[in-house]
């Protein structure tokens, strides 16, 4: 988990699609930025209580700048509107990261599926797959062609990229890319929840890697009381119903890194030393959840009476 935090300057500000604003961020003293790999995101601190995560979608080899793209969401929680309306050229923004829960694993073959602003983490993955000599294709959907960011950048890949605006071709033809996935192929998908749900239904779980911008819908469960022992702090705390582990440990004065508080960013991932977590996050793979080695303490709870955490 990176501890890097700095105020960066907005050096370019460009609309790359209808409602999608791309920002280039540089260090004010031209210092090199931390390295990152495709799939990484940064936390952008826009103000008190206004912190958002945006995927890096530039060139990982260029340490002089980070690029993000922000979709304006009229029904959002205010972060995208703030970026579009109040973050101008030359302004400074505080960032933390980068952090990566969606890294590109080595494979001879990939199938990429992106919906809307979900193209942002996929974009640098394509360049890495290309550089590695892997076979790959991209199916990229959006509401309209004008709403789909980075279409011009994608043209250089030719027919390996299929742009499928909904107003021209309907919903994405997922069977065309998912019904005959050869063994050893990895499928990477990012986009709105319904798209990810549809892909998860069709794709073998061992081949699929997804990133969600919003938490998965959770089945109703009972928030029972349980105890959490903090191995490093020497405290045992009671987590009350309706209160998260994160809130409980912070109320006890234990400093913990956190960001989204929705189980989507991975900032608060914590090692579990004993006990069985009840996972409610949208970050860990099913295999990682099954292992029970870590948990997102902003949303996940305990399946029994006691957890021991490395805090």
């Amino acid at each position: 988990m990176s501890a890097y935090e700095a105020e960066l300057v907005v050096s370019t500000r460009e609309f790359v699609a209808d409602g999608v604003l791309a920002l280039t961020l540089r260090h004010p003293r031209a210092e090199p930025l931390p390295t990152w790999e495709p799939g990484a995101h940064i936390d952008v601190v826009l103000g008190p209580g206004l912190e958002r995560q945006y995927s890096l979608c530039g060139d990982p080899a260029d340490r002089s700048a980070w690029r993000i793209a922000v979709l304006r969401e009229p029904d959002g929680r205010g972060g995208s509107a703030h970026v579009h309306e109040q973050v101008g050229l030359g302004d400074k923004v505080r960032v933390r990261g980068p952090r990566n829960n969606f890294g590109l694993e080595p494979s001879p073959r990939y199938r990429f599926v992106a919906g809307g602003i979900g193209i942002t983490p996929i974009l640098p993955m394509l360049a890495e797959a290309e550089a590695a000599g892997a076979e790959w294709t991209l199916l990229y959907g959006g509401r309209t062609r004008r709403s789909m960011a980075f279409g011009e950048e994608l043209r250089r890949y030719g027919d390996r990229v299929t742009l499928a605006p909904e107003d021209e071709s309907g919903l994405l033809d997922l069977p065309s890319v998912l019904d005959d996935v050869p063994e050893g192929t990895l499928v990477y998908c990012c986009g709105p929840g319904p798209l990810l749900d549809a892909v998860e239904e069709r794709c073998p779980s061992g081949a699929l890697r997804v990133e969600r911008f919003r938490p998965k819908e959770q089945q109703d469960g009972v928030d029972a009381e349980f105890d959490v022992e903090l191995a490093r702090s020497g405290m045992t705390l009671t987590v009350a119903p309706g209160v998260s582990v994160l809130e409980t440990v912070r109320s006890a004065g234990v400093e913990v890194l956190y960001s989204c508080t929705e189980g989507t960013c991975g900032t608060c991932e914590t090692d579990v030393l004993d006990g069985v977590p009840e996972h409610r996050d949208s970050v860990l793979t099913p295999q990682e959840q099954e292992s029970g080695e870590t948990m997102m303490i902003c949303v996940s709870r305990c399946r029994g009476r006691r957890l021991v955490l490395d805090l």
Side-chain angles (χ1 to χ4, degrees):
M1 187 178 299
S2 174
Y4 182 80
E5 184 168 351
E7 283 194 336
L8 303 184
V9 175
V10 178
S11 64
T12 68
R13 189 179 188 277
E14 174 191 9
F15 280 93
V16 291
D18 285 350
V20 180
L21 177 65
L23 303 178
T24 302
L25 309 175
R26 300 180 186 273
H27 196 280
R29 296 186 299 278
E31 294 178 6
L33 300 177
T35 58
W36 61 279
E37 296 181 347
H41 68 263
I42 57 172
D43 301 329
V44 180
V45 183
L46 301 169
L50 197 61
E51 185 173 315
R52 298 292 183 267
Q53 291 75 44
Y54 297 112
S55 297
L56 292 171
C57 56
D59 178 3
D62 181 6
R63 296 189 61 190
S64 70
W66 283 345
R67 182 175 69 169
I68 60 174
V70 181
L71 169 67
R72 178 159 190 160
E73 301 182 82
D75 300 322
R77 297 177 295 150
S80 65
H82 181 99
V83 172
H84 277 246
E85 296 173 7
Q86 300 188 44
V87 177
L89 198 62
D91 286 353
K92 289 184 178 180
V93 292
R94 178 156 291 276
V95 303
R96 288 198 298 264
R99 185 174 296 106
N100 201 339
N101 306 306
F102 192 45
L104 186 68
E105 300 171 27
S107 177
R109 290 176 300 277
Y110 300 97
R111 294 193 179 174
F112 298 101
V113 181
I117 199 63
I119 190 62
T120 50
I122 299 293
L123 197 62
M125 290 185 181
L126 304 182
E128 180 161 308
E130 181 80 355
E135 298 176 21
W136 64 268
T137 61
L138 166 67
L139 178 62
Y140 174 24
R143 290 177 289 104
T144 67
R145 195 172 293 271
R146 288 175 57 86
S147 73
M148 297 169 65
F150 305 117
E152 283 300 310
E153 289 189 29
L154 292 168
R155 289 182 63 180
R156 66 189 178 102
Y157 295 121
D159 60 7
R160 280 173 294 174
V161 173
T162 300
L163 299 184
E166 187 175 348
D167 65 340
E168 298 177 21
S169 53
L171 296 176
L172 286 180
D173 182 10
L174 295 179
S176 68
V177 295
L178 299 179
D179 281 0
D180 61 342
V181 178
E183 188 174 349
T185 302
L186 292 181
V187 179
Y188 277 76
C189 180
C190 187
L195 171 62
L196 271 62
D197 293 341
V199 170
E200 285 181 336
E201 287 180 9
R202 282 191 169 272
C203 187
S205 60
L208 181 61
R209 309 290 185 268
V210 302
E211 181 171 60
R212 292 179 179 268
F213 293 140
R214 281 181 171 67
K216 293 175 70 171
E217 190 170 325
Q218 300 288 337
Q219 295 182 347
D220 292 337
V222 178
D223 282 1
E225 179 180 284
F226 63 95
D227 292 331
V228 57
E229 179 182 332
L230 310 184
R232 279 188 278 150
S233 304
M235 291 189 284
T236 298
L237 308 172
T238 298
V239 181
V243 180
S244 70
V245 176
L246 174 65
E247 292 170 312
T248 302
V249 299
R250 292 191 70 239
S251 295
V254 178
E255 289 299 318
V256 183
L257 285 177
Y258 69 98
S259 183
C260 74
T261 70
E262 294 182 321
T264 59
C265 75
T267 306
C268 69
E269 184 172 7
T270 301
D271 288 340
V272 178
L273 305 180
D274 195 18
V276 181
E278 179 187 300
H279 295 288
R280 300 183 181 183
D281 67 275
S282 303
V283 178
L284 297 174
T285 66
Q287 295 82 3
E288 289 169 334
Q289 291 186 347
E290 181 67 25
S291 76
E293 294 178 358
T294 68
M295 65 183 287
M296 305 302 158
I297 62 172
C298 65
V299 291
S300 297
R301 300 185 69 81
C302 178
R303 289 195 180 278
R305 273 292 310 167
R306 177 175 169 272
L307 282 175
V308 181
L309 301 180
D310 187 20
L311 289 174

